[in-house]
Amino acid sequence: MTKKNDITALDEVAGNGLLSRRLLLRGGVAMAGAASTLVATHGASAEPLKEPEWSRYQGTTVEAMGRRTKHEKDTARILTNPKGEPRTQHARTPHHLLNGQITPNHLHFTILHNGIPDIDPEQHKLVIHGMVKQPIVLSMDRLMRYPMVTRQTFIECGGNSAALFSNEPVQANLQSLHGLVSNAEWTGVPLSAVLDEVGIDPKAKWMLVEGADTAAITRSVPLKKALDDAILVLFQNGERLMAEQGYPVRLLLPGWEGNMNIKYVRRIKIVDQPALTYYEARNYSPLLPDAKAYRFFFVNEVKSFITHPSFGMKLNEPGYYEISGIAYSGAGRIERVQVTADGGRTWADAAVQGPTMHKAFTRFTIPWRWNGQPAVLSSRAVDDGGNIQPTRDEFVRERGVTQKPVTNPFGFPNQHYNSLTSWGINAKGEISHVYA
Amino acid sequence: MSMLEKISFAACITVALSTGAMADDKNGLGSKVGLGQPITEADIKPWDITILPDGTNLPAGSGTAALGAKLFSEKGCIACHGEGGTGGSNGAVITDIPLAGRGIEATKTIKNFWSNPTTVFDFIRRAMPWNAPRTLSDDEVYALTAFILEGNKLIPPGTVMDAKSLPQVKMPNKDGFIIKFPDRI
């Protein structure tokens, strides 16, 4: 090992052991960590190697649908209503068990208010009408013939992270707190290509988009967004949409509140005013401390959180760890992510995984040497529009907190939380949720 | 550029200008895809259920709270909204809980929060009863809407709700909202 790969005090870029992200580029950082701490800690040599059982016999038969190893069976979503009782069902993504930037289809978060409809694609129809020259109806067969685009984007429920409106930090894991956001590669028809052919009345300003689900969920969407980057999505990470994601066709509004990304789209009506449907008039009009409320909180604003390490994990020994997390902004591209290990006293730039994409997950990492003492980890992101993830103080001042601690991590005391998430690590290496 | 090339180049420009397709020809197809099948608004009517705040699209028919109260019991509404709509697992639809003074934990109710009476009609017709949405007649939806608005003292007793009277109902919190992203509209 060359001397330049050894971690020295000079490589510390911020308090409590945050190391230069340049170590990642230089290579050998894990080895350096092992050399400087792990070997010193353990001393004893490893056992002699033996041929394992599973290497000596033929394995099981390959199936038409690939299957996950049984050793990863705990990598699953948390359900709030597993028996499908007559109320909303939520399934949250286990970000603490995943890595990279794409959420696998069977682990993508979903919320259904009346269960998953079983829609026959051969009979499903999409109608576009209202303030147009010529109303049209499209079969899925026809829709599939339009020119398609592919892009990565996250979808986030307006109620994601709502437990962080609690005045005291809710002790729950990352999946419970931030599991209502996921990121996928979506393929479909730009909505503008379809709207092109109906001839929109210049006086129209909004469209009402309605699903074929039991509750016929409807949201009002400004035409400005519809003609900008909206997509009628047909494919999710390369395969046809999951039934729970809106098969056979879903509206994708990159970066905008999850509930507006209407599933099972069957009707788009061009109009001159918003409808103020149930979900926009009630749920997604977040209350402010003075009893006023925000209306049309479309954008999921710049946000980040650390996935590794996070609540419920344990650091078994001091030494080298990689801090890793997810950053995203509904207003653009992630430009910078900073990490602190001392509760916000000092910050260092994390390495950002490129190429970064607009309104999509960006993975960030930074090397860290834990000295075995208490530490508080947190991250803050900045997007290319200069929007900075607000500190907890800034956020609470504007948006408020509960007067009593929140006891149910799956409840929704408010909507659209995008402030910091902090993990407190004690001398035993145990991790709790803290406010810093 | 040869003479032949010049002629065909000019011809291209002429075609592009005459169809007006040049500026927005994002897909290189030269014109709109045009796979949509024409349909009339009359044929769309059975799906065209959204009510706008100014009353646009409210159907014919009418109802009063007296019939609404009866339907509220008969149609199973009480299972989720309680006896008389005053409680239950999915919240009261008739209640006097205030919005102010409770910070962000205030319970948003029809009376203290909803800005438009049309939302009540739209949501009942669209999504209720939970286990059998879009089975109520328009008269029944007007009656249930009247029951909720009258129970909340938002209309005088006995007021008939119809396409004309419903959009006129004054909601107390109509001006309680701040548009978060006006430049995105």
Side-chain angles (χ1 to χ4, degrees):
Chain A
M1 190 165 300
T2 61
K3 190 162 173 53
K4 72 168 185 172
N5 278 340
D6 289 341
I7 298 173
T8 69
L10 290 176
D11 290 311
E12 285 209 6
V13 288
N16 246 354
L18 284 179
L19 304 174
S20 169
R21 65 195 158 127
R22 286 189 302 277
L23 285 173
L24 297 168
L25 306 173
R26 220 152 76 191
V29 64
M31 294 299 290
S36 60
T37 48
L38 300 190
V39 173
T41 310
H42 288 294
S45 314
E47 298 278 310
L49 301 179
K50 285 185 287 193
E51 193 70 37
E53 194 71 6
W54 53 75
S55 302
R56 301 173 66 200
Y57 303 99
Q58 173 158 335
T60 54
T61 306
V62 172
E63 295 164 278
M65 291 298 288
R67 197 189 283 253
R68 213 166 40 171
T69 165
K70 66 174 190 262
H71 304 289
E72 294 294 329
K73 64 175 169 23
D74 293 339
T75 305
R77 299 181 302 188
I78 296 178
L79 306 177
T80 54
N81 182 5
K83 289 183 185 156
E85 287 159 9
R87 57 188 165 89
T88 303
Q89 305 178 45
H90 312 82
R92 287 170 162 83
T93 300
H95 291 297
H96 61 303
L97 300 174
L98 302 177
N99 213 316
Q101 300 179 150
I102 293 280
T103 311
N105 287 344
H106 53 281
L107 294 173
H108 199 287
F109 94 88
T110 195
I111 301 176
L112 276 303
H113 298 281
N114 291 62
I116 305 169
D118 177 18
I119 296 178
D120 177 355
E122 298 203 353
Q123 293 182 52
H124 184 75
K125 289 184 171 66
L126 167 60
V127 66
I128 301 170
H129 71 126
M131 295 172 71
V132 300
K133 279 201 193 91
Q134 176 59 62
I136 59 168
V137 64
L138 279 161
S139 65
M140 292 304 97
D141 227 27
R142 286 269 181 99
L143 185 60
M144 292 280 262
R145 286 167 55 193
Y146 279 75
M148 294 199 202
V149 292
T150 294
R151 68 165 296 162
Q152 256 190 53
T153 193
F154 72 87
I155 298 181
E156 181 177 39
C157 171
N160 190 36
S161 322
L164 279 83
F165 279 99
S166 176
N167 63 345
E168 299 286 338
V170 176
Q171 296 308 315
N173 73 1
L174 181 69
Q175 178 174 20
S176 306
L177 298 177
H178 297 308
L180 295 178
V181 61
S182 301
N183 188 67
E185 183 192 88
W186 308 97
T187 301
V189 178
L191 183 56
S192 58
V194 179
L195 292 182
D196 252 2
E197 70 187 57
V198 295
I200 294 177
D201 183 329
K203 289 196 288 293
K205 242 185 140 183
W206 294 79
M207 63 173 184
L208 312 173
V209 186
E210 184 176 87
D213 51 312
T214 311
I217 290 178
T218 299
R219 291 293 304 262
S220 311
V221 181
L223 277 180
K224 213 190 250 188
K225 178 69 172 176
L227 297 170
D228 175 18
D229 60 359
I231 300 172
L232 291 168
V233 161
L234 300 159
F235 295 85
Q236 175 186 357
N237 290 330
E239 63 178 325
R240 288 302 304 275
L241 274 171
M242 300 286 279
E244 59 185 31
Q245 294 298 337
Y247 182 88
V249 58
R250 166 186 212 165
L251 176 69
L252 183 72
L253 301 174
W256 282 28
E257 186 174 84
N259 181 266
M260 300 179 76
N261 294 254
I262 296 288
K263 299 168 181 172
Y264 322 105
V265 182
R266 75 169 189 183
R267 189 169 72 96
I268 296 176
K269 186 174 187 180
I270 310 297
V271 290
D272 60 358
Q273 59 190 297
L276 291 166
T277 62
Y278 176 80
Y279 287 102
E280 58 211 36
R282 178 182 178 270
N283 297 35
Y284 298 106
S285 286
L287 268 174
L288 295 164
D290 63 357
K292 292 277 179 189
Y294 276 138
R295 175 143 281 172
F296 301 131
F297 204 135
F298 303 131
V299 180
N300 287 313
E301 297 178 286
V302 62
K303 182 163 169 180
S304 69
F305 46 80
I306 293 170
T307 58
H308 307 81
S310 62
F311 180 96
M313 297 178 189
K314 188 167 184 295
L315 306 182
N316 288 320
E317 60 198 4
Y320 178 82
Y321 290 89
E322 177 172 81
I323 294 171
S324 171
I326 291 166
Y328 52 96
S329 169
R333 195 190 302 271
I334 290 299
E335 190 149 278
R336 184 179 187 194
V337 183
Q338 292 185 301
V339 172
T340 178
D342 56 16
R345 270 198 325 113
T346 56
W347 295 84
D349 279 321
V352 167
Q353 177 64 52
T356 55
M357 283 167 279
H358 269 275
K359 304 167 186 171
F361 274 8
T362 295
R363 174 67 61 177
F364 63 87
T365 58
I366 187 165
W368 178 47
R369 184 179 52 204
W370 182 45
N371 61 10
Q373 296 304 305
V376 176
L377 306 182
S378 193
S379 64
R380 68 179 180 205
V382 183
D383 71 19
D384 60 355
N387 302 300
I388 304 170
Q389 192 178 0
T391 65
R392 177 120 189 127
D393 284 349
E394 289 166 350
F395 186 84
V396 168
R397 214 173 299 137
E398 183 196 343
R399 302 289 311 282
V401 286
T402 62
Q403 286 156 18
K404 286 184 194 157
V406 170
T407 51
N408 175 13
F410 305 135
F412 297 99
N414 211 334
Q415 308 285 338
H416 285 282
Y417 180 92
N418 76 317
S419 181
L420 312 188
T421 301
S422 302
W423 305 122
I425 299 169
N426 66 16
K428 289 184 205 155
E430 296 159 339
I431 304 177
S432 60
H433 178 208
V434 299
Y435 289 151
Chain B
M1 197 182 271
S2 73
M3 184 55 79
L4 191 60
E5 282 171 332
K6 275 181 188 162
I7 290 167
S8 55
F9 181 66
C12 283
I13 287 181
T14 311
V15 170
L17 290 176
S18 63
T19 61
M22 201 168 173
D24 55 6
D25 182 15
K26 290 177 214 146
N27 308 317
L29 297 175
S31 66
K32 288 150 187 153
V33 178
L35 288 170
Q37 200 181 347
I39 183 169
T40 64
E41 288 287 353
D43 287 338
I44 296 166
K45 199 81 193 147
W47 283 10
D48 188 14
I49 57 175
T50 307
I51 312 301
L52 298 182
D54 66 3
T56 301
N57 216 27
L58 274 169
S62 65
T64 57
L67 175 63
K70 197 161 152 274
L71 289 167
F72 201 82
S73 301
E74 280 174 17
K75 298 286 179 182
C77 312
I78 56 173
C80 298
H81 300 295
E83 202 70 52
T86 56
S89 60
N90 262 325
V93 291
I94 296 174
T95 171
D96 250 332
I97 306 171
L99 194 67
R102 301 185 181 210
I104 61 165
E105 284 161 288
T107 302
K108 298 172 183 172
T109 69
I110 293 172
K111 183 174 187 174
N112 75 17
F113 195 73
W114 294 29
S115 54
N116 300 81
T118 44
T119 307
V120 182
F121 184 97
D122 180 281
F123 192 66
I124 294 172
R125 183 163 72 157
R126 173 183 305 283
M128 293 293 132
W130 182 279
N131 56 354
R134 299 186 294 287
T135 56
L136 299 170
S137 71
D138 292 336
D139 284 339
E140 288 174 329
V141 178
Y142 276 120
L144 284 162
T145 304
F147 169 69
I148 290 172
L149 295 176
E150 187 175 309
N152 281 309
K153 302 188 179 64
L154 296 169
I155 53 174
T159 310
V160 176
M161 284 291 107
D162 58 22
K164 206 161 162 239
S165 60
L166 176 62
Q168 310 298 327
V169 176
K170 296 270 174 291
M171 301 298 275
N173 195 43
K174 181 147 190 59
D175 300 320
F177 299 90
I178 300 161
I179 305 296
K180 174 66 177 167
F181 291 108
D183 57 322
R184 306 253 179 184
I185 295 172

